[in-house]
Every structure is written in C-alpha cells, then in structure tokens.
C-alpha cells in the first residue's frame, strides 16, 4: 500500500502540445487525480491551448509524420510517406478517438467537465493566449482564468504537491 | 487478505478494505463501511450502490463516466456523495472489488 506520509496530494499539470496523446495524457492524469481525492490544476500553454479552445478542442489530431510509435493496424511499419497523404492523419486520429471511446474515455469537452465536476481547475497561459491572439470567449467556458506561469506556480505549491509537464 | 467485523459479522476484506466476496454484502455492511469512511449514508447512496452491484453482477466494467450517466446523479453529485473517491468509495461500499479503470 502507498505510504501515506509521502503521498501525492496535489498535482499541477502543464500541457504544451495539441496532439491527442499529449492532451489525453494530461486529462487522464488530471481526472485520475481528482478521482483519488487530490487537488488538481491544469495549465494549457502554446499549442496545448487547442484543448481548451472551443473551435479546436474536439478536433485534435495525432501526428502521422515524425511519430516513431505509429504502426499499421496489425503492427507493421507505418511508412513516413503514408502519413503525408491528405486525410491519413484525420483517419488515424478518428481511429484513436474511437479506440478511446470504446474504453469509455470521453471527448475533450466532456472530459474537462468531468475534471471540473471533481473540483479540478483549468487555466490558460496568458503568454500563449496573447501570442495566438485568442480572446476569453474563444476559450472553453469553464476555464478558471488566463494567467501567467508565475500565477500558476503560486497556486501549485504546498505539502505533497507535484508539477507534471506532458 | 484480512478479516474484519462489519455489522456484527466476520467478513473477509482486502488490505484496502474491499469485500473479498461480494455475496457478503448487505445494506448493514454498507452502512458500517460508510461510517468508517465518514459518509452519512442516504437513500441516494443506496441507489448508486444498487446500480453498481447490478452492473457488476452483469460483468460490466465500471467507469466514473458511466456512473455519471446512470440517471441517479451526475458526476458532480457523485463527488458529493462519495467525497475524495467517487468511484473507489462507491465500489467499496457496494461490496465489489477495487475498480481497475483509469477513468
């Protein structure tokens, strides 16, 4: 059993990429944390902002180029040239999402709702929001705030806290 | 494995307090476990527990998402009913094994 004295009590998770696997890694960890009764704060920055941007959040892709983990169905090699063909990345991404749906892993917006229902908080990085010229209304409605990394660190501390970068 | 007295009966439980045999479950056992977890058990709790037991008996895996769509309460409600462990605590009180799902 876990040692209660050194147990993780709080996680601050930073997601900087927009690929399905990066975003879902952050979301699964965040949801897992609130389900274990931990405090959890999520910070989306740079391309990770796609996960909390209304227009993009449910259209994430997994890259089919430059992804050495990519395999053909059945496990064979996935040639890089194949990944460059228009539509292939969209198809692969669709398969990824279908695979997750089968495991009862929800779409991004619903997953974020589950996390905030458990007390988790979602923040957007001010620098990245400014850089991509996004407005508050472009972001998912339940984003708790557009803040600096300094603000985020300020709320990330405390006994048994961990900062995780995906 | 250990044995524990719950509602006046000696019951086999795992190291983390989950029932070893789901057939040992009674409402009284659930009440005794709830007390240990500082949960004031209500009819709403029992509705959730019955739902979990029913799904478990059918061999269906349990996720927080599915539980939130049970129609009994939503996910926010589950966190209120089972603070700090909406899936783990509800599974424990329902007398089924520890959930093996990440969601």
């Amino acid at each position: 059993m876990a040692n209660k004295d050194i147990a993780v009590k709080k996680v601050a998770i930073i997601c900087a990429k927009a690929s399905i696997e990066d975003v879902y890694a952050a979301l699964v960890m965040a949801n897992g944390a609130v389900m274990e009764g931990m405090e959890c704060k999520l910070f989306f920055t740079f391309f990770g902002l796609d996960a909390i941007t209304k227009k993009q959040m449910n259209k994430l892709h997994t890259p089919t180029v430059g992804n050495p983990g990519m395999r053909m169905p059945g496990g064979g090699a996935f040639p890089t040239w194949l990944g460059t063909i228009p539509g292939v990345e969209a198809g692969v991404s669709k398969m990824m999402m279908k695979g997750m749906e089968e495991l009862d892993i929800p779409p991004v917006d619903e997953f974020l709702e589950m996390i905030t229902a458990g007390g988790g908080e979602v923040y957007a990085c001010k620098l990245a929001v400014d850089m991509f010229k996004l407005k508050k209304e472009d972001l998912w409605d339940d984003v708790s705030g557009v803040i600096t990394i300094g603000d985020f660190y300020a709320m990330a501390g405390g006994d048994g806290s961990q900062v995780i970068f995906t | 494995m250990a044995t524990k007295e719950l509602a006046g009966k000696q019951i086999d439980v795992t190291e983390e307090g989950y029932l070893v045999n789901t057939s040992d479950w009674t409402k009284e056992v659930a009440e005794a476990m709830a007390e240990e977890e500082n949960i004031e058990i209500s009819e709403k709790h029992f509705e959730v527990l019955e739902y979990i037991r029913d799904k478990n008996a059918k061999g269906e895996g349990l996720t927080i998402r599915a539980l939130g769509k049970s129609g009994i309460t939503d996910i926010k409600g589950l966190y209120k009913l089972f603070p700090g462990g909406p899936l783990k605590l509800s599974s424990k009180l329902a007398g089924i094994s520890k959930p093996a799902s990440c969601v």
Side-chain angles (χ1 to χ4, degrees), chain B residues 12 15 19 26 33 38 44 49 62 72 75 87 89 102:
Chain B
D12 291 336
E15 229 179 278
L19 297 194
T26 60
M33 284 197 285
N38 293 317
K44 202 83 188 159
L49 301 186
L62 195 64
I72 301 166
I75 292 180
L87 196 61
L89 282 177
C102 277

Side-chain angles (χ1 to χ4, degrees), chain B residues 7 20 27 35 41 44:
Chain B
V20 173
K27 276 194 154 190
E35 206 177 315
I41 205 155
K44 202 83 188 159

Side-chain angles (χ1 to χ4, degrees), chain A residues 39-58:
Chain A
E39 205 181 324
C40 174
K41 299 185 194 298
L42 269 165
F43 187 71
F44 291 92
T45 184
F46 289 105
F47 296 104
L49 278 178
D50 269 6
I52 52 167
T53 304
K54 281 178 199 157
K55 239 195 233 170
Q56 302 297 339
M57 60 198 309
N58 288 327

Side-chain angles (χ1 to χ4, degrees), chain B residues 26-36 39 41 46 49 93:
Chain B
T26 60
K27 276 194 154 190
E28 290 70 34
V29 167
E31 277 163 9
M33 284 197 285
E35 206 177 315
E36 279 181 16
I39 291 174
I41 205 155
F46 277 116
L49 301 186
L93 266 52

Side-chain angles (χ1 to χ4, degrees), chain A residues 34 36 101 104 110 114, chain B residues 63 65 69 75 79 88:
Chain A
V34 289
E36 294 294 324
E101 178 65 43
D104 218 10
E110 189 187 339
M114 286 167 61
Chain B
T63 64
R65 189 188 185 200
K69 287 183 175 165
I75 292 180
Y79 277 96
K88 279 169 79 178

Side-chain angles (χ1 to χ4, degrees), chain A residues 10-92:
Chain A
K10 177 174 175 180
V11 286
I13 301 170
I14 301 170
C15 176
K17 298 191 196 96
S19 67
I20 290 175
E21 59 273 27
D22 287 295
V23 169
Y24 271 85
L27 296 178
V28 170
M29 284 192 280
N31 184 62
V34 289
M35 279 176 62
E36 294 294 324
M38 295 177 208
E39 205 181 324
C40 174
K41 299 185 194 298
L42 269 165
F43 187 71
F44 291 92
T45 184
F46 289 105
F47 296 104
L49 278 178
D50 269 6
I52 52 167
T53 304
K54 281 178 199 157
K55 239 195 233 170
Q56 302 297 339
M57 60 198 309
N58 288 327
K59 293 182 195 156
L60 301 182
H61 275 188
T62 208
T64 48
V65 173
N67 182 352
M70 187 58 62
R71 305 269 185 281
M72 295 295 278
F78 187 96
T80 295
W81 62 261
L82 183 58
T84 64
I85 296 174
V88 169
E89 188 174 280
V92 166

Side-chain angles (χ1 to χ4, degrees), chain B residues 3 7 11 13 22 27-29 31 36 38 41 45-46 49 53 58-61 65 70-71 74 79-80 82 95 103:
Chain B
T3 308
I11 290 174
V13 294
T22 184
K27 276 194 154 190
E28 290 70 34
V29 167
E31 277 163 9
E36 279 181 16
N38 293 317
I41 205 155
H45 285 93
F46 277 116
L49 301 186
R53 288 187 62 76
K58 287 179 187 153
E60 287 176 36
R65 189 188 185 200
S70 61
D74 58 8
Y79 277 96
K80 279 209 186 100
F82 304 97
V103 285

